[in-house]
Amino acid sequence: MIVESNNDNDISSQSINNADYVNHPPHYQTKNGLEVIDIIEACTEDLKGVEATDTGNIIKYACRWKKKNGIEDLKKLIWYANHLINHLQKEEVKKDEN
């Protein structure tokens, strides 16, 4: 895929293994074509708010770390997991107080 651009450094102006970095980025796909967004939708369909957001981000970073940002993505995964744990613990305290 080649997209015209006036900027030679713009990734959209380059043909990189015919990958569609907007609609189907390779770092969000498995070898058999399963896309991370589909996994996230399936795993978060019954969640709302922080629970859905954090769970989605945990899945995203777990799936892409090896293909994209390595340790940085694993640290982000941990950050979102800790954020979710803290949120759930606060919710438990609120329930216990009532």
Side-chain angles (χ1 to χ4, degrees):
M1 174 178 134
I2 298 177
V3 178
E4 295 295 322
S5 173
N6 293 331
N7 182 352
D8 289 338
N9 295 325
D10 184 352
I11 194 166
S12 63
S13 70
Q14 302 169 11
S15 175
I16 304 174
N17 299 328
N18 295 323
D20 183 349
Y21 281 83
V22 174
N23 297 303
H24 306 286
H27 56 274
Y28 287 130
Q29 290 186 7
T30 63
K31 290 180 183 179
N32 65 0
L34 184 62
E35 295 205 28
V36 173
I37 195 161
D38 297 325
I39 298 167
I40 291 170
E41 286 179 4
C43 293
T44 62
E45 66 184 353
D46 295 329
L47 302 176
K48 293 181 181 171
V50 171
E51 291 181 17
T53 302
D54 287 353
T55 301
N57 282 314
I58 290 164
I59 294 167
K60 172 179 72 173
Y61 291 119
C63 291
R64 81 177 203 184
W65 76 269
K66 188 71 171 176
K67 293 181 180 178
K68 194 161 185 204
N69 296 323
I71 292 171
E72 180 182 328
D73 279 350
L74 293 173
K75 289 179 179 179
K76 290 177 182 180
L77 181 159
I78 292 168
W79 188 93
Y80 281 103
N82 286 329
H83 187 261
L84 179 57
I85 290 167
N86 290 333
H87 170 77
L88 295 173
Q89 287 174 335
K90 287 177 186 175
E91 292 297 311
E92 283 181 10
V93 168
K94 286 180 186 177
K95 284 182 185 178
D96 291 343
E97 290 175 351
N98 291 330

